[in-house]
Amino acid sequence: MSTYRLDKLFAPNSVALVGASSRDGSLGRRVLQNLRDAGFRGRIQLVNPKHSEIDGLPCVARVEDLEGAPDLVVIAAPPAAVPGIVDAAGRKGVAAAIVITAGLGHGPGSLAEAVTRTARRHGVRIVGPNCLGVIAPHARLNASFAARNAPAGDLALISQSGAIAAGLVEWAAARRVGFSAVVSLGDKTDVDFGDCLDYFAQDRATRAILLYVESIHTARKFMSAARIAARAKPVVVIKSGRHAQGARAAATHTGALAGSDEVYDAAFRRAGLLRVFDLDELFAAVETLGRQKPFAGKRLAILTNGGGVGVLAVDRLVDLGGSLAGLSEGTGAVLDSLLPETWSHANPVDIIGDADATRYATSLDALLKDDANDAVLVMNVPTAMASAAEAAEAVVETVRRDRASGYRRKPVFAVWLGEDGRSASAFESAGIPHFATEADAVQGFMHLVRYREAQDALMETPDSLPQDFVPDAATARAIVAAVIAEGRTWLDPLEVSRLLAAYQIPDACVTLARTPDEAAEAARPHVSAGATVAVKILSPDIVHKSDIGGVLLDLTSEDAVREAAASILERAARLRPGARVTGVTVQPMVRRPKARELILGLADDPTFGPVIVFGRGGTAVEVINDKALALPPLDMNLAASLVARTRVSRILKAYRDVPAADERAIQLVLVKLAQLAADVPELRELDINPLLADSNGVIAVDTRIAVAPAETRRGSGHPRFAVRPYPKEWERRFELPSHRRVFVRPVRPEDEPLFVAFFQRVTVEDLRLRFFAPVKEFSHAFIARLIQIDYARSIAFVAIDEETGEMMGAVRLHADANNEAGEYAILLRSDLKGLGLGWRLMQLMIEWARHEGLHHVEGQVLRENTVMLEMCAGLGFEIRSDRDDPEIKVVRLAVADMPEDQRLAG
């Protein structure tokens, strides 16, 4: 249900506490005290059959006895009573309930399941059970049993753990960091991370979102909400259980490499979230995000009165991937005129141990004006020669002057070792992030850098795919379907080779031999040409062939091949007597002496579905453990990023007498594997190890593929992709009355050039009618927002002239977080209006909305845009004036129950 009724949870007008108590130390007593101490402005009602009043507040025996329907009910009653309380609250008309009570169990037949079923029947939103509660400082709501109320601020904390939430509230109070809300999700029977991300992404009082995650259950919902939220504001996540052995049972090398935490890490990266790894780091992230907005660049200037601590800061900066800024020539000259001759004359700028307040102020001013750096870290080591507190106050005054000048508002971070109360107060008053150590400060700086890089990655325009890559999905599906129909789990090498060929992935030629003589015959053309061959066992029950000596290499004659095949078959029968053995495979040895051995593949994660794995290959792949993961779908940019996150990427470059490997060919195989996963949901594991890569391209030497029946599809696309792939099934071709052929397809991230050329052929007036204001420029960031969409929430159809390849127009629809309503917008090239294109695009948009289960679509149209209003009327839209703006008309169409003859045929 996403954000449905969450406004009543975080900003209720009235609250009822069920299980209120007058007994000291009880849960009901603590929650009541917190509600009252927070200064909640609305009405508080209490429910407890044993009391007529508690602390001067009247108390009723049952929920049914409450006056009116409170927006929010907080439940601190015994577990057995909770389902009945929720039912009574739902019948009363309550919007939301916080179930603090623990012990409701899990799964079918549990009290928790009864609560969930009852709440959904009444439309009551549930937080918990087994949670700390909810704190919404701006609403003066503390519906929790936390020991301290959270101060008001602009950070939203969403925690699966009540203890972590309470601990962060304690820490924040001591550091004057405030929250827009603190949510303890507990067992997440209803309200979950996705719901809260959707809500706080749109919440104007929230500038950044903090997540403490133990597990995600609805991956696509989480990823969709997280990607939307991360585009709007920083989202920081910490996840516990990083060393869960989720891959132990995997049958392939790829599956074994895709551990649970690595998959979560890939998901967080794909969503643009900033991941931290412990509470100390989370506190550092809170410190920086609470006081400093993200900025462009990662060049850090360091100002210190102690050379040693400056060097330590540089070491930490390099460890975390930051850049030490240089000093511009002009800044160096300024510092020469201000500082003693013994200053460092480089970054870190060491202004010597006797530096006083004036020296700090003038040096910092010079660095703030230097375009060679992006941020400044100021540090102080206390000495008997100068006052640390006065230096801190001078830093604060310099920063304030810089901010007031409006020049750049460059970020400043501070470390005052042995920090005293006076220095801390100075930094607090100016909102300057300050840290106990240089390592913490550099880490805080890098948090902001990594967040900005994640934002840039979300807005990247990917490289386009080669035009000659057209996968044969039908052949691939047929191969897999036949294997499943036979009750098999693994494809044999011949089927593997055919499947790879369908996606144009080069592999070594494979021949099946059922007997040693057949093996010798298969090897004849190769050995007669001077090549050597490999013989391998072929058995659906022996996945790792080398475990039984099932692979023999570099065979140079027919006799050697015959003997090898016989010995392999004998060992298989002896060591795996129950295994089904089809025979052996014979394939020529691939000789690429300067090739790199890589592993590429697909693994299946129980939460996030298919995962792409890339790393260093070979027989010791798990021992080397050099790999990176990504969630499909992939484009060439995402594939390049995946490769770059491994150590093996370094030796893909040229070195000594070894030419560089064809990295684009490697990236393309990764993209092809992602497309294969999207097209064939039955794939469970795919392992190419090794994939040999050199300057001539790539070739798959050994590939294993496991399959299983796919889940029943609901809607379009892969049923288990966490990130919904490109919906190719919505591509359409039609002919306009003018006989112009049009190809309409969903927008793709590589469509930026199309949009740039398109906007050049739209008049200023048409742009004003579309965007309700003059548009001066179409920057990369502006266009990226139009083409980088989440297909789980949005769709944009672009119409392309089949003859010229030019973009003719586009229509887009964005569904709300509750997936009930969608807002549309449409724009045609100015010279193409009146041809019937707009009508066809609107019909397709409406059909998408109906297919996705939306109830209605609506849009805003300027009153003067009579052409659009006439088209909307013809399509059956209801048209009314906007109550807030007489110049705008609101158009609305119910799509769930449209007559069949109004739907667009596929």
Side-chain angles (χ1 to χ4, degrees):
M1 288 191 281
S2 201
T3 61
Y4 174 70
R5 285 185 148 182
L6 290 192
D7 57 326
K8 302 298 184 183
L9 173 66
F10 297 113
N13 292 313
S14 55
V15 175
L17 173 58
V18 183
S21 176
S22 60
R23 180 170 54 84
D24 289 339
S26 67
L27 185 60
R29 176 72 172 177
R30 183 69 214 186
V31 176
L32 175 58
Q33 183 178 336
N34 282 350
L35 280 170
R36 302 191 75 175
D37 289 349
F40 181 64
R41 298 188 184 95
R43 185 180 186 185
I44 300 175
Q45 297 187 74
L46 307 181
V47 179
N48 189 322
K50 297 179 181 180
H51 299 274
S52 60
E53 64 88 23
I54 299 175
D55 291 348
L57 289 176
C59 196
V60 298
R62 305 178 307 155
V63 171
E64 291 89 340
D65 299 330
L66 292 169
E67 292 186 20
D71 290 336
L72 174 65
V73 167
V74 184
I75 301 175
V82 174
I85 293 170
V86 172
D87 184 48
R91 286 187 279 107
K92 190 79 174 175
V94 169
I98 300 170
V99 183
I100 294 176
T101 305
L104 274 69
H106 303 276
S110 65
L111 294 172
E113 194 255 353
V115 166
T116 304
R117 185 176 61 250
T118 301
R120 287 180 177 168
R121 186 171 70 250
H122 295 297
V124 178
R125 302 310 308 273
I126 299 290
V127 174
N130 187 26
C131 68
L132 179 76
V134 171
I135 306 174
H138 295 293
R140 295 192 177 184
L141 174 72
N142 184 355
S144 79
F145 62 95
R148 184 193 298 267
N149 191 25
D154 55 11
L155 298 175
L157 170 63
I158 310 165
S159 175
Q160 198 165 346
S161 163
I164 295 296
L168 276 172
V169 168
E170 291 288 332
W171 176 88
R175 301 301 296 267
R176 300 182 189 175
V177 173
F179 295 93
S180 57
V182 176
V183 189
S184 166
L185 295 175
D187 292 340
K188 299 191 284 120
T189 59
D190 174 27
V191 174
D192 60 12
F193 287 108
D195 299 325
C196 292
L197 283 165
D198 277 328
Y199 182 86
F200 291 114
Q202 302 298 322
D203 180 34
R204 293 183 179 180
T206 298
R207 188 172 58 79
I209 303 171
L210 311 178
L211 306 179
Y212 174 81
V213 175
E214 294 174 355
S215 61
I216 300 294
H217 298 302
T218 52
R220 182 176 285 188
K221 177 182 177 182
F222 172 82
M223 291 296 293
S224 179
R227 284 161 62 84
I228 295 295
R231 292 186 186 209
K233 54 195 65 172
V235 182
V236 185
V237 59
I238 180 172
K239 184 192 176 294
S240 61
R242 293 193 295 116
H243 296 293
Q245 300 300 308
R248 280 181 174 168
T252 64
H253 293 298
T254 299
L257 289 176
S260 173
D261 186 67
E262 287 86 351
V263 179
Y264 272 92
D265 196 63
F268 296 152
R269 183 186 301 273
R270 186 62 179 270
L273 310 187
L274 171 62
R275 185 178 187 182
V276 297
F277 292 94
D278 54 46
L279 289 180
D280 286 340
E281 192 179 358
L282 182 63
F283 292 160
V286 170
E287 174 72 12
T288 48
L289 291 170
R291 303 174 192 277
Q292 176 62 58
K293 294 182 178 180
F295 54 89
K298 60 178 181 179
R299 302 170 301 169
L300 181 65
I302 301 172
L303 176 63
T304 178
N305 69 339
V309 72
V311 172
L312 289 174
V314 172
D315 287 343
R316 188 62 175 150
L317 181 68
V318 174
D319 288 342
L320 296 177
S323 298
L324 186 65
L327 295 177
S328 67
E329 185 175 342
T331 298
V334 170
L335 292 173
D336 278 335
S337 69
L338 297 173
L339 301 175
E341 291 184 2
T342 52
W343 80 279
S344 61
H345 298 280
N347 185 22
V349 178
D350 182 0
I351 57 177
I352 313 306
D354 64 348
D356 59 8
T358 300
R359 197 180 298 174
Y360 265 100
T362 54
S363 302
L364 176 58
D365 184 66
L367 291 176
L368 289 173
K369 293 176 179 176
D370 189 357
D371 288 335
N373 67 72
D374 303 305
V376 182
L377 168 60
V378 188
M379 299 192 291
N380 178 270
V381 179
T383 71
M385 305 296 293
S387 167
E390 290 178 3
E393 289 165 353
V395 166
V396 167
E397 185 57 35
T398 304
V399 170
R400 282 178 171 155
R401 283 199 308 270
D402 180 70
R403 291 173 178 173
S405 70
Y407 173 63
R408 184 173 174 181
R409 297 176 61 87
K410 189 176 291 184
V412 175
F413 306 84
V415 174
W416 251 234
L417 298 178
E419 184 181 270
D420 60 274
R422 183 175 163 189
S423 300
S425 296
F427 293 130
E428 295 282 349
S429 67
I432 295 175
H434 56 108
F435 304 86
T437 69
E438 81 291 337
D440 290 341
V442 171
Q443 192 170 58
F445 164 76
M446 288 304 299
H447 286 150
L448 291 163
V449 169
R450 285 164 49 203
Y451 167 70
R452 173 52 60 190
E453 290 175 345
Q455 288 294 291
D456 292 343
L458 279 175
M459 302 305 288
E460 271 188 359
T461 302
D463 193 5
S464 59
L465 291 174
Q467 294 299 311
D468 57 353
F469 170 48
V470 182
D472 185 357
T475 294
R477 292 189 185 110
I479 293 169
V480 171
V483 172
I484 292 175
E486 293 176 13
R488 289 190 284 131
T489 303
W490 294 91
L491 273 66
D492 68 36
L494 302 177
E495 292 162 337
V496 167
S497 187
R498 289 170 53 212
L499 186 68
L500 295 181
Y503 280 74
Q504 301 172 27
I505 299 173
D507 78 322
C509 176
V510 179
T511 304
L512 168 65
R514 299 183 183 277
T515 66
D517 287 337
E518 285 184 10
E521 184 179 347
R524 184 176 302 142
H526 303 297
V527 297
S528 62
T532 60
V533 299
V535 177
K536 304 176 184 180
I537 190 69
L538 178 59
S539 167
D541 301 319
I542 303 175
V543 179
H544 296 297
K545 305 174 183 66
S546 58
D547 290 349
I548 63 156
V551 177
L552 290 176
L553 309 176
D554 288 320
L555 304 172
T556 59
S557 68
E558 292 182 45
D559 288 341
V561 170
R562 185 179 292 105
E563 291 175 7
S567 64
I568 287 175
L569 292 171
E570 184 276 329
R571 276 194 300 274
R574 175 166 42 87
L575 297 176
R576 297 285 179 85
R580 294 167 293 169
V581 177
T582 307
V584 296
T585 60
V586 180
Q587 60 188 132
M589 294 290 296
V590 178
R591 295 296 183 188
R592 293 197 175 185
K594 295 182 179 180
R596 289 69 153 177
E597 286 193 342
L598 307 173
I599 183 170
L600 288 77
L602 293 167
D604 188 69
D605 182 77
T607 299
F608 291 96
V611 182
I612 304 292
V613 181
F614 170 82
R616 187 162 188 167
T619 56
V621 61
E622 281 112 335
V623 177
I624 296 171
N625 196 28
D626 174 24
K627 52 66 165 70
L629 279 63
L631 298 185
L634 297 183
D635 55 42
M636 294 296 281
N637 277 358
L638 289 170
S641 175
L642 175 62
V643 172
R645 296 202 305 273
T646 60
R647 298 188 302 277
V648 74
S649 65
R650 302 170 193 169
I651 63 170
L652 297 178
K653 314 297 181 186
Y655 61 93
R656 294 184 180 177
D657 65 336
V658 180
D662 186 345
E663 290 193 57
R664 184 172 173 81
I666 299 168
Q667 295 159 13
L668 184 56
V669 174
L670 288 167
V671 174
K672 290 175 177 179
L673 289 180
Q675 185 62 52
L676 175 58
D679 293 340
V680 187
E682 293 80 5
L683 258 62
R684 285 297 179 265
E685 292 187 28
L686 185 152
D687 185 280
I688 302 177
N689 182 31
L691 178 88
L692 297 182
D694 59 16
S695 59
N696 296 316
V698 298
I699 185 168
V701 176
D702 194 0
T703 303
R704 293 186 289 274
I705 300 176
V707 296
E711 298 176 10
T712 302
R713 291 173 181 255
R714 287 182 295 178
S716 57
H718 193 296
R720 298 194 63 239
F721 265 34
V723 178
R724 188 167 177 177
Y726 172 79
K728 184 176 177 62
E729 64 274 17
W730 282 86
E731 293 179 351
R732 301 286 189 271
R733 283 181 165 84
F734 56 80
E735 185 175 303
L736 296 175
S738 60
H739 303 296
R740 182 173 295 193
R741 298 287 302 173
V742 181
F743 175 44
V744 179
R745 61 165 173 79
V747 70
R748 291 198 292 245
E750 61 265 31
D751 284 340
E752 182 169 5
L754 278 179
F755 275 77
V756 171
F758 170 73
F759 282 127
Q760 292 173 353
R761 302 183 69 175
V762 180
T763 66
V764 173
E765 178 61 13
D766 284 345
L767 289 173
R768 184 185 68 83
L769 292 175
R770 161 63 177 86
F771 295 105
F772 290 16
V775 182
K776 296 181 180 179
E777 63 172 343
F778 295 97
S779 64
H780 165 71
F782 179 90
I783 295 178
R785 290 187 181 93
L786 300 179
I787 61 178
Q788 294 277 4
I789 66 172
D790 177 12
Y791 297 122
R793 296 281 184 94
S794 308
I795 192 64
F797 292 109
V798 293
I800 299 170
D801 189 316
E802 289 210 63
E803 182 177 348
T804 66
E806 296 174 338
M807 179 173 163
M808 306 168 68
V811 64
R812 64 184 52 247
L813 181 72
H814 183 83
D816 65 10
N818 303 320
N819 205 48
E820 294 179 349
E823 183 174 1
Y824 86 90
I826 185 170
L827 181 64
L828 304 181
R829 221 171 67 192
S830 297
D831 60 327
L832 298 177
K833 293 190 292 186
L835 301 180
L837 177 61
W839 184 275
R840 295 299 299 266
L841 288 178
M842 288 288 287
Q843 283 185 307
L844 185 58
M845 177 272 295
I846 292 167
E847 181 65 11
W848 168 277
R850 189 191 65 80
H851 183 272
E852 293 298 301
L854 299 184
H855 297 169
H856 63 273
V857 297
E858 62 182 35
Q860 292 183 321
V861 183
L862 286 175
R863 186 175 63 178
E864 62 190 281
N865 192 352
T866 56
V867 174
M868 174 56 68
L869 292 174
E870 288 175 2
M871 182 166 63
C872 287
L875 287 166
F877 280 77
E878 172 192 345
I879 302 174
R880 61 175 175 81
S881 297
D882 189 293
R883 281 177 281 185
D884 298 323
D885 189 340
E887 296 303 313
I888 293 176
K889 296 286 188 179
V890 176
V891 298
R892 190 174 189 273
L893 176 69
V895 297
D897 301 316
M898 286 181 64
E900 193 68 35
D901 59 0
Q902 291 185 24
R903 299 174 183 174
L904 183 66

